Each structure stands twice: as C-alpha cells, then as structure tokens.
Amino acid sequence: MQENFSLKPYNTFGVEAKARYFTEVNTIDELKEALIFSETQSLQLLFLGGGSNILLTKDFDGLAIRLNLKGITEENVNENEVLVTAKAGENWHEFVMYCLQKNFGGLENLSLIPGNVGTSPMQNIGAYGTEIKDIFVSCKVLDLENLELTTFNLEQCRFGYRDSIFKQGGKGRYVILEVTFKLTRKDHSIKTEYGAIKSELENLGIENPTIQDISRAVINIRQSKLPDPKEIGNAGSFFKNPTIPLIQFEDLKRKFENIQGYPNGDMVKVPAGWLIEQCGWKGKQIGNVASHKLQSLVIINATGNATGKEIFDFSTEIINSVKEKFGIELEREVNII
C-alpha cells in the first residue's frame, strides 16, 4: 500500500494526478485484502486497468487499485468452437494477438484497441463491425457489497452501444475479474464491410483474406489515423457517435447535405468525428490540448503538460459548439474522474 502516489504512468492521457493510496493486486485474495482496508478507512475506490478510458481531472482522495490479474485458458466446445477465458489484467491487443496465433476467429476486427480485457465488457468495446457482445459468453465478477464471486451471462450484461450494466445499475458495484469469449476454430466469419478494410486489403494485394489479414488491415488503418498513447497522450475516441431520430436527421440533411449517417430503423447514428470536424476543431489547439490533426474524435495532450481539467474544458467547448451548430449533444465516451 503506497500513499500520495502519482497516477501519471497509469492513464494514457499522461496527466498528473495523485491517489491518496495506491496498490497493485495480482490475485483475488489480494484484491479482497485491499477492499477490506478501504472499508476500514472509509475510502472511495478507483479501479485501474490499462488506463485508456479515463480522464483524471483532480487528485483522487481514496484508494486506487490496479488490477494485474493474469492468465488465459481454453476449452474446446466442438470442432469449430472454443471458449477462451482471459483474466482482467491481460492487455487487450496482446490477447487478440494470442488468439490469432492460435487461429481463433472473432476478435480480429478489434485489434489494437487500447486497454485491458477486464474493461472490455464495461463499454462493450467495438470497431469495424464487431462488438464485444458478438463473441461474449460470460464474465466473472466480484460483488463489492458482499465480496462474493458471481457470473454474468450475455443477457445479464445488458449490452448496448458503448454501454452495459457495469455503466448502469451495476456501476461501482462489480469488479470484472475475467471474461470468457466463444471464438471459431476454422469456419471463420470474415467481416470486411466496415470502414476502410476492403480498400486496405486491396492495398495489401489480398483477395481472399484470413482473420490474420483482417487484423493486419485494421492495425494499419488505426495506426494511420490514431496517435499512439505511448507517444502522445490520448484516450482514443473521446466521444460516442450520437444516435438521433430519423426525422431529425432528415431535417439536418436539408441544412447540411453532406452530413453522414447510418440508419437503424427510425434512428440514425451520426459520426461524431464528422460533426466535430465541421465545427472547425480538427487539428485545433488551445493551450496544452488539441483535437488530433488526422482524427478530430481524438483529443490529445498536445504538449504533454495538460491537466485533466484543461482536457475536460476543451471537450466541453467541443460539445457546446456541436450543440449550437447541429442541435446534437455529444456524450463523452471517456470516464471522467
């Protein structure tokens, strides 16, 4: 247990914030010990994984716990399906690469997403036509109210767009310890429809892609337009893509004929990056903070010296300008601490 501990290395924005107490746990027993300590001291809790989806706007007057549970196990279901379980502390991209080396299909479109396995169900991470819910089986969690272990299945997790029970009624109550996915062993479903995957495969000269080829294409695309958090502080996509009623979209289409949208019934998902770019934010810098020059959806710690409050205030200005121009209120995807 360490006191007055800097969390700068534990958040991908690279902002300075201190935790009153900090500990790293490698087992469930160590986690329970830390939780008992927090209860005796009446401390608030902050759980840290890869630190890729949080913005620390101030010091944390409580106990920050870094989950470092490690391990991957496999269980064959039949000739074509396998259950793969990964502990919460496993790095997400390294886990995807592990599965691809085994020729397990289902995760390839989610390559190079930052963070750890344990946080992947929380916001139902997704990219290029795939979401966690598509291959999710269950997750084992620790209930903080009674320190008992329980398991959530697909239905119980109530997955939505970048949403789950762990961001709703279960927020702050459960700690995800491990996640189980059902992947394919040979009859893989190849998804090339979303984004620039098809054109990237053409650039690579690939006509009949394998799951490994899809992963390579996704990695190339992400690296071409998203900054590496190790080089410049960021948390990936800062905002969710808003979903608006079809009638509202049609009205906007009359005013802004180039507006992009993806219909789903009587609702339309509008790319937040397009909205932000139309408001003049792409590449714009204020003080230590900027919108990335290649992807306006990504806010960066441009100088390396930004505070969490500066980044938060910058995001508020973006929200206000999009609301004023389009009548759409953006929602932050990043968790604000």
Side-chain angles (χ1 to χ4, degrees), residues 159-178:
F159 289 125
Y161 172 60
R162 301 298 174 267
D163 201 10
S164 72
I165 189 174
F166 305 110
K167 294 182 72 174
Q168 302 167 8
K171 185 175 183 179
R173 176 173 174 178
Y174 304 105
V175 181
I176 298 173
L177 305 175
E178 63 181 39

PDB file of all heavy atoms in Angstrom, residues 159-178:
ATOM      1  N   PHE A 159     -25.877  -5.375 -22.808  1.00  0.00           N
ATOM      2  CA  PHE A 159     -25.003  -4.612 -23.693  1.00  0.00           C
ATOM      3  C   PHE A 159     -25.801  -3.693 -24.618  1.00  0.00           C
ATOM      4  O   PHE A 159     -26.835  -4.079 -25.160  1.00  0.00           O
ATOM      5  CB  PHE A 159     -24.142  -5.548 -24.553  1.00  0.00           C
ATOM      6  CG  PHE A 159     -23.070  -6.258 -23.781  1.00  0.00           C
ATOM      7  CD1 PHE A 159     -22.974  -7.644 -23.812  1.00  0.00           C
ATOM      8  CD2 PHE A 159     -22.146  -5.543 -23.032  1.00  0.00           C
ATOM      9  CE1 PHE A 159     -21.969  -8.306 -23.110  1.00  0.00           C
ATOM     10  CE2 PHE A 159     -21.141  -6.195 -22.329  1.00  0.00           C
ATOM     11  CZ  PHE A 159     -21.060  -7.575 -22.373  1.00  0.00           C
ATOM     12  N   GLY A 160     -25.277  -2.479 -24.792  1.00  0.00           N
ATOM     13  CA  GLY A 160     -25.801  -1.529 -25.758  1.00  0.00           C
ATOM     14  C   GLY A 160     -24.608  -0.871 -26.426  1.00  0.00           C
ATOM     15  O   GLY A 160     -23.464  -1.300 -26.243  1.00  0.00           O
ATOM     16  N   TYR A 161     -24.856   0.194 -27.180  1.00  0.00           N
ATOM     17  CA  TYR A 161     -23.761   0.895 -27.845  1.00  0.00           C
ATOM     18  C   TYR A 161     -22.874   1.560 -26.794  1.00  0.00           C
ATOM     19  O   TYR A 161     -23.297   2.488 -26.110  1.00  0.00           O
ATOM     20  CB  TYR A 161     -24.308   1.929 -28.833  1.00  0.00           C
ATOM     21  CG  TYR A 161     -23.240   2.826 -29.409  1.00  0.00           C
ATOM     22  CD1 TYR A 161     -22.172   2.295 -30.144  1.00  0.00           C
ATOM     23  CD2 TYR A 161     -23.275   4.197 -29.203  1.00  0.00           C
ATOM     24  CE1 TYR A 161     -21.187   3.111 -30.661  1.00  0.00           C
ATOM     25  CE2 TYR A 161     -22.295   5.027 -29.722  1.00  0.00           C
ATOM     26  CZ  TYR A 161     -21.253   4.476 -30.443  1.00  0.00           C
ATOM     27  OH  TYR A 161     -20.262   5.290 -30.940  1.00  0.00           O
ATOM     28  N   ARG A 162     -21.654   1.050 -26.666  1.00  0.00           N
ATOM     29  CA  ARG A 162     -20.668   1.506 -25.674  1.00  0.00           C
ATOM     30  C   ARG A 162     -21.285   1.549 -24.277  1.00  0.00           C
ATOM     31  O   ARG A 162     -21.063   2.460 -23.494  1.00  0.00           O
ATOM     32  CB  ARG A 162     -20.106   2.889 -26.047  1.00  0.00           C
ATOM     33  CG  ARG A 162     -19.434   2.948 -27.402  1.00  0.00           C
ATOM     34  CD  ARG A 162     -18.224   2.019 -27.481  1.00  0.00           C
ATOM     35  NE  ARG A 162     -17.694   2.003 -28.857  1.00  0.00           N
ATOM     36  CZ  ARG A 162     -18.066   1.106 -29.766  1.00  0.00           C
ATOM     37  NH1 ARG A 162     -18.933   0.150 -29.469  1.00  0.00           N
ATOM     38  NH2 ARG A 162     -17.559   1.136 -30.979  1.00  0.00           N
ATOM     39  N   ASP A 163     -22.077   0.512 -23.986  1.00  0.00           N
ATOM     40  CA  ASP A 163     -22.828   0.518 -22.730  1.00  0.00           C
ATOM     41  C   ASP A 163     -23.025  -0.909 -22.223  1.00  0.00           C
ATOM     42  O   ASP A 163     -22.973  -1.871 -22.994  1.00  0.00           O
ATOM     43  CB  ASP A 163     -24.186   1.180 -22.967  1.00  0.00           C
ATOM     44  CG  ASP A 163     -24.819   1.688 -21.679  1.00  0.00           C
ATOM     45  OD1 ASP A 163     -24.126   1.704 -20.633  1.00  0.00           O
ATOM     46  OD2 ASP A 163     -25.998   2.066 -21.719  1.00  0.00           O
ATOM     47  N   SER A 164     -23.240  -1.021 -20.918  1.00  0.00           N
ATOM     48  CA  SER A 164     -23.519  -2.308 -20.283  1.00  0.00           C
ATOM     49  C   SER A 164     -24.068  -2.051 -18.887  1.00  0.00           C
ATOM     50  O   SER A 164     -24.109  -0.904 -18.422  1.00  0.00           O
ATOM     51  CB  SER A 164     -22.231  -3.143 -20.171  1.00  0.00           C
ATOM     52  OG  SER A 164     -21.376  -2.583 -19.183  1.00  0.00           O
ATOM     53  N   ILE A 165     -24.446  -3.110 -18.205  1.00  0.00           N
ATOM     54  CA  ILE A 165     -24.932  -2.981 -16.834  1.00  0.00           C
ATOM     55  C   ILE A 165     -23.858  -2.386 -15.920  1.00  0.00           C
ATOM     56  O   ILE A 165     -24.152  -1.735 -14.924  1.00  0.00           O
ATOM     57  CB  ILE A 165     -25.401  -4.347 -16.277  1.00  0.00           C
ATOM     58  CG1 ILE A 165     -26.105  -4.148 -14.922  1.00  0.00           C
ATOM     59  CG2 ILE A 165     -24.226  -5.319 -16.159  1.00  0.00           C
ATOM     60  CD1 ILE A 165     -26.733  -5.403 -14.370  1.00  0.00           C
ATOM     61  N   PHE A 166     -22.587  -2.553 -16.319  1.00  0.00           N
ATOM     62  CA  PHE A 166     -21.486  -2.068 -15.487  1.00  0.00           C
ATOM     63  C   PHE A 166     -21.317  -0.548 -15.576  1.00  0.00           C
ATOM     64  O   PHE A 166     -20.527   0.039 -14.834  1.00  0.00           O
ATOM     65  CB  PHE A 166     -20.186  -2.781 -15.876  1.00  0.00           C
ATOM     66  CG  PHE A 166     -20.309  -4.275 -15.807  1.00  0.00           C
ATOM     67  CD1 PHE A 166     -20.315  -5.037 -16.972  1.00  0.00           C
ATOM     68  CD2 PHE A 166     -20.473  -4.919 -14.597  1.00  0.00           C
ATOM     69  CE1 PHE A 166     -20.456  -6.418 -16.917  1.00  0.00           C
ATOM     70  CE2 PHE A 166     -20.620  -6.300 -14.526  1.00  0.00           C
ATOM     71  CZ  PHE A 166     -20.616  -7.046 -15.690  1.00  0.00           C
ATOM     72  N   LYS A 167     -22.046   0.074 -16.491  1.00  0.00           N
ATOM     73  CA  LYS A 167     -22.084   1.536 -16.564  1.00  0.00           C
ATOM     74  C   LYS A 167     -23.457   2.056 -16.157  1.00  0.00           C
ATOM     75  O   LYS A 167     -23.689   3.261 -16.146  1.00  0.00           O
ATOM     76  CB  LYS A 167     -21.750   2.017 -17.987  1.00  0.00           C
ATOM     77  CG  LYS A 167     -20.325   1.714 -18.411  1.00  0.00           C
ATOM     78  CD  LYS A 167     -20.020   2.248 -19.789  1.00  0.00           C
ATOM     79  CE  LYS A 167     -19.912   3.752 -19.805  1.00  0.00           C
ATOM     80  NZ  LYS A 167     -19.471   4.248 -21.145  1.00  0.00           N
ATOM     81  N   GLN A 168     -24.365   1.117 -15.840  1.00  0.00           N
ATOM     82  CA  GLN A 168     -25.733   1.487 -15.466  1.00  0.00           C
ATOM     83  C   GLN A 168     -25.941   1.170 -13.977  1.00  0.00           C
ATOM     84  O   GLN A 168     -25.247   1.706 -13.124  1.00  0.00           O
ATOM     85  CB  GLN A 168     -26.732   0.743 -16.350  1.00  0.00           C
ATOM     86  CG  GLN A 168     -26.554   0.994 -17.842  1.00  0.00           C
ATOM     87  CD  GLN A 168     -27.348   0.010 -18.695  1.00  0.00           C
ATOM     88  OE1 GLN A 168     -28.150  -0.790 -18.214  1.00  0.00           O
ATOM     89  NE2 GLN A 168     -27.102   0.046 -19.990  1.00  0.00           N
ATOM     90  N   GLY A 169     -26.898   0.290 -13.697  1.00  0.00           N
ATOM     91  CA  GLY A 169     -27.229  -0.033 -12.307  1.00  0.00           C
ATOM     92  C   GLY A 169     -26.099  -0.692 -11.538  1.00  0.00           C
ATOM     93  O   GLY A 169     -26.027  -0.597 -10.313  1.00  0.00           O
ATOM     94  N   GLY A 170     -25.198  -1.380 -12.272  1.00  0.00           N
ATOM     95  CA  GLY A 170     -24.098  -2.061 -11.597  1.00  0.00           C
ATOM     96  C   GLY A 170     -22.843  -1.218 -11.469  1.00  0.00           C
ATOM     97  O   GLY A 170     -21.807  -1.711 -11.005  1.00  0.00           O
ATOM     98  N   LYS A 171     -22.915   0.046 -11.867  1.00  0.00           N
ATOM     99  CA  LYS A 171     -21.728   0.906 -11.822  1.00  0.00           C
ATOM    100  C   LYS A 171     -21.244   1.060 -10.385  1.00  0.00           C
ATOM    101  O   LYS A 171     -22.001   1.408  -9.480  1.00  0.00           O
ATOM    102  CB  LYS A 171     -22.047   2.285 -12.419  1.00  0.00           C
ATOM    103  CG  LYS A 171     -20.827   3.188 -12.517  1.00  0.00           C
ATOM    104  CD  LYS A 171     -21.168   4.490 -13.215  1.00  0.00           C
ATOM    105  CE  LYS A 171     -19.925   5.361 -13.364  1.00  0.00           C
ATOM    106  NZ  LYS A 171     -20.223   6.636 -14.065  1.00  0.00           N
ATOM    107  N   GLY A 172     -19.955   0.771 -10.185  1.00  0.00           N
ATOM    108  CA  GLY A 172     -19.369   0.909  -8.859  1.00  0.00           C
ATOM    109  C   GLY A 172     -19.627  -0.262  -7.928  1.00  0.00           C
ATOM    110  O   GLY A 172     -19.113  -0.292  -6.806  1.00  0.00           O
ATOM    111  N   ARG A 173     -20.415  -1.231  -8.384  1.00  0.00           N
ATOM    112  CA  ARG A 173     -20.725  -2.373  -7.508  1.00  0.00           C
ATOM    113  C   ARG A 173     -19.885  -3.606  -7.825  1.00  0.00           C
ATOM    114  O   ARG A 173     -19.544  -4.380  -6.919  1.00  0.00           O
ATOM    115  CB  ARG A 173     -22.210  -2.734  -7.620  1.00  0.00           C
ATOM    116  CG  ARG A 173     -22.566  -3.972  -6.799  1.00  0.00           C
ATOM    117  CD  ARG A 173     -24.037  -4.259  -6.759  1.00  0.00           C
ATOM    118  NE  ARG A 173     -24.291  -5.530  -6.088  1.00  0.00           N
ATOM    119  CZ  ARG A 173     -25.495  -6.040  -5.859  1.00  0.00           C
ATOM    120  NH1 ARG A 173     -26.579  -5.377  -6.238  1.00  0.00           N
ATOM    121  NH2 ARG A 173     -25.635  -7.209  -5.253  1.00  0.00           N
ATOM    122  N   TYR A 174     -19.545  -3.800  -9.107  1.00  0.00           N
ATOM    123  CA  TYR A 174     -18.851  -5.021  -9.516  1.00  0.00           C
ATOM    124  C   TYR A 174     -17.464  -4.730 -10.073  1.00  0.00           C
ATOM    125  O   TYR A 174     -17.254  -3.734 -10.753  1.00  0.00           O
ATOM    126  CB  TYR A 174     -19.668  -5.764 -10.580  1.00  0.00           C
ATOM    127  CG  TYR A 174     -21.064  -6.105 -10.154  1.00  0.00           C
ATOM    128  CD1 TYR A 174     -22.155  -5.380 -10.646  1.00  0.00           C
ATOM    129  CD2 TYR A 174     -21.313  -7.148  -9.261  1.00  0.00           C
ATOM    130  CE1 TYR A 174     -23.452  -5.687 -10.268  1.00  0.00           C
ATOM    131  CE2 TYR A 174     -22.603  -7.470  -8.867  1.00  0.00           C
ATOM    132  CZ  TYR A 174     -23.677  -6.731  -9.369  1.00  0.00           C
ATOM    133  OH  TYR A 174     -24.954  -7.039  -8.985  1.00  0.00           O
ATOM    134  N   VAL A 175     -16.533  -5.664  -9.797  1.00  0.00           N
ATOM    135  CA  VAL A 175     -15.204  -5.622 -10.394  1.00  0.00           C
ATOM    136  C   VAL A 175     -15.079  -6.846 -11.294  1.00  0.00           C
ATOM    137  O   VAL A 175     -15.229  -7.988 -10.831  1.00  0.00           O
ATOM    138  CB  VAL A 175     -14.092  -5.657  -9.325  1.00  0.00           C
ATOM    139  CG1 VAL A 175     -12.726  -5.582  -9.998  1.00  0.00           C
ATOM    140  CG2 VAL A 175     -14.254  -4.519  -8.346  1.00  0.00           C
ATOM    141  N   ILE A 176     -14.827  -6.614 -12.572  1.00  0.00           N
ATOM    142  CA  ILE A 176     -14.692  -7.724 -13.522  1.00  0.00           C
ATOM    143  C   ILE A 176     -13.323  -8.374 -13.340  1.00  0.00           C
ATOM    144  O   ILE A 176     -12.293  -7.711 -13.401  1.00  0.00           O
ATOM    145  CB  ILE A 176     -14.874  -7.232 -14.963  1.00  0.00           C
ATOM    146  CG1 ILE A 176     -16.280  -6.658 -15.139  1.00  0.00           C
ATOM    147  CG2 ILE A 176     -14.631  -8.369 -15.959  1.00  0.00           C
ATOM    148  CD1 ILE A 176     -16.518  -5.980 -16.479  1.00  0.00           C
ATOM    149  N   LEU A 177     -13.321  -9.688 -13.123  1.00  0.00           N
ATOM    150  CA  LEU A 177     -12.095 -10.437 -12.845  1.00  0.00           C
ATOM    151  C   LEU A 177     -11.592 -11.209 -14.057  1.00  0.00           C
ATOM    152  O   LEU A 177     -10.377 -11.378 -14.226  1.00  0.00           O
ATOM    153  CB  LEU A 177     -12.337 -11.414 -11.691  1.00  0.00           C
ATOM    154  CG  LEU A 177     -12.878 -10.805 -10.389  1.00  0.00           C
ATOM    155  CD1 LEU A 177     -13.182 -11.906  -9.390  1.00  0.00           C
ATOM    156  CD2 LEU A 177     -11.877  -9.813  -9.817  1.00  0.00           C
ATOM    157  N   GLU A 178     -12.506 -11.714 -14.883  1.00  0.00           N
ATOM    158  CA  GLU A 178     -12.125 -12.457 -16.081  1.00  0.00           C
ATOM    159  C   GLU A 178     -13.299 -12.469 -17.048  1.00  0.00           C
ATOM    160  O   GLU A 178     -14.457 -12.270 -16.650  1.00  0.00           O
ATOM    161  CB  GLU A 178     -11.694 -13.890 -15.758  1.00  0.00           C
ATOM    162  CG  GLU A 178     -12.790 -14.759 -15.155  1.00  0.00           C
ATOM    163  CD  GLU A 178     -12.311 -16.163 -14.820  1.00  0.00           C
ATOM    164  OE1 GLU A 178     -11.164 -16.295 -14.352  1.00  0.00           O
ATOM    165  OE2 GLU A 178     -13.087 -17.124 -15.031  1.00  0.00           O
TER     166      GLU A 178
END
